Amino acid sequence: MDRTVRRIIGLQVAVTALIALPLLGYQGASSAFSALLGGSIGFLTSLVYAKTMLMVKGDEPRELLKAHIRAEAYKLLSTLVLFVAVFAVFRDVSPLILILTFAATLFAYWAGLLMIETRSKS
């Protein structure tokens, strides 16, 4: 797997842990588990996107655009399936914590991209 992909997904995993661990101590296992599920949806769908894009051969703009659209579609579909599965299987999940942690992983994704872009220009 590409180094950039590992760093960004690693950042998302770290954000998930940084949210879940304090919740475990302050609000209990159910809240921490909700955070883990939300964060997992965030970083697993990023992995789906990355794996799809890493399969692209060449650098022709048309092919890259097609691959990006396909990867985004897979990521969106994966996100929907995972949210539905979590709410169907886990009845004691905290929706607010789950969604906020998911959102935090999305923020980490974009922040990670910006940090990498900033470093490459230096």
Side-chain angles (χ1 to χ4, degrees):
M1 188 176 359
D2 182 72
R3 180 178 177 211
T4 301
V5 172
R6 283 194 312 267
R7 292 176 77 186
I8 290 173
I9 292 176
L11 179 62
Q12 290 180 299
V13 171
V15 165
T16 300
L18 287 172
I19 293 170
L21 288 174
L23 284 173
L24 181 61
Y26 292 117
Q27 293 189 352
S30 179
S31 293
F33 187 63
S34 297
L36 287 174
L37 289 171
S40 295
I41 293 171
F43 65 75
L44 289 174
T45 56
S46 293
L47 188 59
V48 166
Y49 177 89
K51 290 284 191 179
T52 304
M53 287 302 295
L54 290 172
M55 292 178 5
V56 176
K57 304 292 187 235
D59 58 355
E60 184 180 320
R62 180 174 293 235
E63 291 304 314
L64 289 173
L65 179 60
K66 283 185 195 176
H68 170 68
I69 292 168
R70 187 172 41 254
E72 282 294 344
Y74 291 161
K75 182 177 179 181
L76 179 61
L77 181 61
S78 299
T79 302
L80 291 172
V81 167
L82 288 171
F83 268 109
V84 168
V86 164
F87 287 120
V89 173
F90 302 105
R91 299 291 180 200
D92 292 335
V93 72
S94 168
L96 181 62
I97 291 172
L98 182 133
I99 291 168
L100 288 176
T101 307
F102 172 75
T105 64
L106 295 181
F107 178 77
Y109 177 88
W110 289 105
L113 287 176
L114 288 173
M115 288 187 306
I116 289 168
E117 178 66 24
T118 303
R119 284 185 192 157
S120 68
K121 287 183 179 181
S122 300

